[in-house]
Amino acid sequence: MKTVAVIDGQGGKLGSMVVEAIREEGLDCRIHAIGTNSIATAAMLRAGADAGATGENPVLVACRTADVLIGPVGILAADALMGEITPAMAEAVGKSEAVKLLLPVNLCSIRVVGMPALPFSRLTAEAVQALRTALAE
């Protein structure tokens, strides 16, 4: 069974929506909620994640051990998510050999050109579809 690490910060809304959608689809994977703060981790655990951890080191470990990483595009940028993403976290995500499913949330001064601003529900649905494909590989 593959491990999916959902990385989120702030209030964990996007991460919890992703976890919930994965559960609703019944995808065969283990979900690790990796929050940059305890509020985000708790929200993802309430949404149905199998395990959770908070902080920089859990992000670093998840980037080495997970098969798939899911999170907002800001997890690739130091100081994103209002400063919650450390340089070490961003580097670990970028260097990770895991499949990265990054949601183009146009916050943190990052704009993904060519991508319309979509509601979280649509981003979540597209992430779950991409995860289905990644798990089948």
Side-chain angles (χ1 to χ4, degrees):
M1 180 181 301
K2 291 188 178 182
T3 300
V4 176
V6 180
I7 302 172
D8 199 11
Q10 298 181 304
K13 180 179 179 179
L14 181 61
S16 62
M17 289 177 71
V18 168
V19 170
E20 191 173 284
I22 294 169
R23 286 290 177 234
E24 286 175 3
E25 287 292 316
L27 299 180
D28 187 27
C29 61
R30 182 161 174 75
I31 304 171
H32 290 178
I34 310 298
T36 59
N37 64 63
S38 60
I39 294 169
T41 304
M44 291 186 283
L45 285 168
R46 280 191 303 275
D50 296 302
T54 302
E56 181 179 76
N57 201 57
V59 171
L60 304 183
V61 171
C63 288
R64 289 193 311 266
T65 61
D67 299 295
V68 180
L69 302 175
I70 302 177
V73 70
I75 63 174
L76 280 173
D79 295 335
L81 280 67
M82 295 184 68
E84 293 183 21
I85 301 297
T86 67
M89 290 174 174
E91 181 178 12
V93 171
K95 288 183 174 180
S96 175
E97 293 186 17
V99 173
K100 297 167 203 66
L101 303 178
L102 303 174
L103 289 76
V105 179
N106 289 327
L107 300 172
C108 304
S109 300
I110 297 173
R111 302 288 185 265
V112 180
V113 176
M115 291 297 303
L118 299 174
F120 280 179
S121 59
R122 176 84 182 274
L123 291 173
T124 300
E126 291 189 21
V128 170
Q129 192 58 30
L131 177 59
R132 181 184 308 282
T133 301
L135 292 174
E137 295 175 347

